[in-house]
Amino acid sequence: MWMDLIIQNVINPFILFFFLGMLAILLKSDLDIPQPLSKLFSLYLIISIGLNGGYKLHQSGLSVDALKALALAIFMAFAVPIYAFFILRLKLDIYNSVAVSACYGSVSAVTFITATSFLNSLQIEYGGYMVAALALMESPAIIVGFILLSIFNPQNTNEERSWNQILKEAFLNPSVFLLLGSLAIGFSTGEKGWKTMEPLFGDLFKGMLAFFLLDMGIIAARRLEDLKKVGVFLIIFAITLPVFNAFVALLLAKLFGLSEGDAFLFAVLSASASYIAVPAAMRISVPEANPSIYVPMALALTFPFNIAIGLPLYYYLATFLI
């Protein structure tokens, strides 16, 4: 069953466009996506998933299931960067341990969006509140990372400067702000609002996702060269930690009675790693950390693994456990 899901997932047009982008760089093609278009695709996907999630949340209401899912999401957002930090300290200095653990404690919105498309292809239902879980899980890891740095390296931390900057990055970074705003708009306008926006943010979603994943494949392939600086330990970490996080998330989902679709998305969120919001914050708050370590780990290793193999693996585990 798992291998069938992997094959079905890999031959999905979205995933194939991602690998087409990687192949273009590996074969030294001139294929490129202009930066303004790349940013437009990102903004579109965030608004689309936020509006749709808000609409679904409006339909279902803030139920007990929603509160359980959101509470579990916040728990994992704080727990993952803490134990990831202590694992990384076996090989890395404090600065790089903080940066990498923060990336893996946060989430990838694109991985989540791809996961929702995966569920839609299987006709599996999930709650709109999982979009709120995505938004809630993006920022806590940045705060945890800064706290860990303050505790374990207090003599080199300028708390006044860093706290102001890191709080702004955590709660007002564009992706979190736009996602929460879109979620609120979708929730407040309900079915009428969604029907108005559906021709643009519903019907065109799959096409825009294909464009965005093509661009992500190009970017990921360009980061492959940086993996030489990472080392075997971190390569193994970038693959095994997401699987471990997903398994822990699924056990919690089973314990608290989440549905199959919600449990799968919760596992995907727990297994993903941020390669946009957190790296931007780390450049400000932990400039001593090396971006050529934590960015290619999240973008060139964990992201391709998750969308090609991770999604069917986590779904198989969800069906087995839930």
Side-chain angles (χ1 to χ4, degrees):
M1 178 182 177
W2 177 37
M3 288 305 300
D4 291 339
L5 285 170
I6 290 179
I7 294 171
Q8 180 180 343
N9 186 54
V10 170
I11 62 174
N12 185 307
F14 313 124
I15 308 303
L16 290 177
F17 270 107
F18 174 80
F19 287 111
L20 180 64
M22 293 193 73
L23 185 64
I25 299 304
L26 295 176
L27 295 179
K28 302 187 185 305
S29 167
D30 293 331
L31 179 65
D32 192 24
I33 303 292
Q35 184 61 31
L37 286 179
S38 178
K39 187 172 183 179
L40 174 63
F41 298 149
S42 300
L43 294 174
Y44 173 90
L45 291 176
I46 291 172
I47 293 174
S48 179
I49 197 69
L51 285 174
N52 188 256
Y55 164 56
K56 289 182 177 179
L57 186 60
H58 178 88
Q59 285 184 313
S60 63
L62 201 59
S63 62
V64 174
D65 288 339
L67 293 175
K68 286 191 294 186
L70 296 179
L72 289 175
I74 293 172
F75 171 77
M76 285 297 286
F78 280 98
V80 171
I82 293 174
Y83 62 70
F85 171 80
F86 289 104
I87 295 172
L88 290 163
R89 283 293 288 130
L90 297 173
K91 292 288 184 178
L92 297 182
D93 58 37
I94 290 174
Y95 303 112
N96 284 300
S97 296
V98 165
V100 175
S101 63
C103 288
Y104 282 83
S106 187
V107 294
S108 162
V110 181
T111 307
F112 177 85
I113 292 168
T114 309
T116 60
S117 296
F118 179 83
L119 283 183
N120 291 335
S121 69
L122 296 175
Q123 297 183 331
I124 304 294
E125 294 292 326
Y126 59 91
Y129 44 80
M130 295 307 298
V131 180
L134 165 68
L136 289 174
M137 291 183 75
E138 190 151 16
S139 296
I142 303 174
I143 305 299
V144 171
F146 184 66
I147 292 173
L148 289 169
L149 184 62
S150 301
I151 293 173
F152 292 97
N153 199 39
Q155 67 274 18
N156 291 326
T157 303
N158 185 333
E159 294 190 14
E160 182 179 355
R161 173 183 63 85
S162 298
W163 270 115
N164 291 335
Q165 292 174 329
I166 199 62
L167 287 173
K168 181 179 179 180
E169 283 294 325
F171 296 107
L172 291 179
N173 73 70
S175 60
V176 174
F177 181 80
L178 185 58
L179 183 62
L180 288 174
S182 301
L183 184 72
I185 292 171
F187 179 77
S188 60
T189 57
E191 184 173 1
K192 183 178 180 180
W194 173 246
K195 292 299 181 183
T196 301
M197 304 299 289
E198 189 176 17
L200 177 61
F201 289 104
D203 297 339
L204 297 180
F205 178 83
K206 293 181 179 179
M208 296 293 270
L209 179 59
F211 272 118
F212 185 76
L213 287 178
L214 174 67
D215 185 44
M216 291 306 303
I218 293 172
I219 296 172
R222 288 172 176 164
R223 287 288 184 177
L224 289 175
E225 189 68 22
D226 292 336
L227 292 179
K228 295 177 181 178
K229 304 175 184 178
V230 169
V232 176
F233 171 79
L234 293 180
I235 291 174
I236 295 173
F237 177 93
I239 301 300
T240 57
L241 185 74
V243 177
F244 175 77
N245 291 344
F247 185 71
V248 171
L250 288 172
L251 290 178
L252 290 172
K254 180 177 177 62
L255 181 64
F256 285 86
L258 266 61
S259 68
E260 183 181 296
D262 291 351
F264 167 72
L265 289 179
F266 177 45
V268 169
L269 287 172
S270 300
S272 64
S274 172
Y275 48 82
I276 299 175
V278 174
M282 289 299 107
R283 287 192 182 99
I284 294 174
S285 59
V286 193
E288 299 88 349
N290 186 354
S292 65
I293 292 178
Y294 54 84
V295 173
M297 283 180 65
L299 180 57
L301 283 174
T302 302
F303 178 67
F305 171 80
N306 273 335
I307 65 168
I309 299 174
L311 297 186
L313 173 61
Y314 308 148
Y315 180 74
Y316 174 76
L317 290 174
T319 57
F320 180 75
L321 291 173
I322 306 299

